[in-house]
Amino acid sequence: MAANSRLTVAVHVLVWMALVQGRGRDLVTSEQAADSVNTNPVVIRRSLGALRRAGLVEVRHGAGAGWRLVREPDRITLLEVYQAVEDEALFGLHRSEPNPRCPVGAGIRPALQRAYGEVEEAARKALGRTTIGDVLRETLAARPA
């Protein structure tokens, strides 16, 4: 089972945009962001599109085209980013109905829904306490000299 990296890519792009903005450059291109993430610009454009629909970034077309943050980095939480790019719950239940005649199959879904709901709520609270600005500061403090 592979982990989904959409949130990580989106946070990376926003943190990089915050860094660039802090250095006085307002607009960035998807190609520039892709260079930081080390991925294809199409992946970045897909992520930026979701972030735009969520009102976190905006795009300017035409001459001098590029993307920019709509709000200050300290006012964008990781929860907002998560909600912009993730469309599924953290944990999924069975794709088909478990056997209702089995003692485990008959009761596993409600038990897991409760446990998964608690984990999801804790994750949302933690993501809501952390901002893009926080991640930028921690990233810069952690980089090798």
Side-chain angles (χ1 to χ4, degrees), residues 10-105:
V11 169
H12 185 136
V13 169
L14 292 173
V15 169
W16 182 80
M17 290 174 75
L19 174 68
V20 169
Q21 177 183 326
R23 292 182 174 172
R25 194 170 75 199
D26 198 34
L27 293 172
V28 300
T29 67
S30 55
E31 289 79 11
Q32 293 165 335
D35 186 53
S36 177
V37 178
N38 197 24
T39 193
N40 190 300
V42 171
V43 172
I44 302 303
R45 283 192 285 277
R46 211 174 290 133
S47 183
L48 286 167
L51 296 169
R52 181 183 54 76
R53 286 186 293 279
L56 302 177
V57 299
E58 62 185 13
V59 64
R60 183 186 324 168
H61 298 284
W67 296 85
R68 72 177 203 88
L69 297 175
V70 171
R71 286 187 267 152
E72 292 298 315
D74 284 323
R75 296 190 56 232
I76 302 171
T77 68
L78 296 190
L79 178 58
E80 291 175 288
V81 180
Y82 171 78
Q83 290 170 329
V85 300
E86 294 296 342
D87 56 358
E88 297 178 9
L90 286 176
F91 303 105
L93 293 174
H94 305 81
R95 292 190 188 274
S96 60
E97 186 71 32
N99 183 348
R101 294 180 307 277
C102 170
V104 173

Side-chain angles (χ1 to χ4, degrees), residues 125-140:
K125 285 181 181 177
L127 291 172
R129 289 189 301 266
T130 306
T131 69
I132 293 298
D134 295 333
V135 176
L136 175 58
R137 285 185 290 279
E138 191 170 331
T139 299
L140 294 177

Side-chain angles (χ1 to χ4, degrees), residues 102-113:
C102 170
V104 173
I108 190 94
R109 280 186 166 191
L112 289 177
Q113 285 173 326

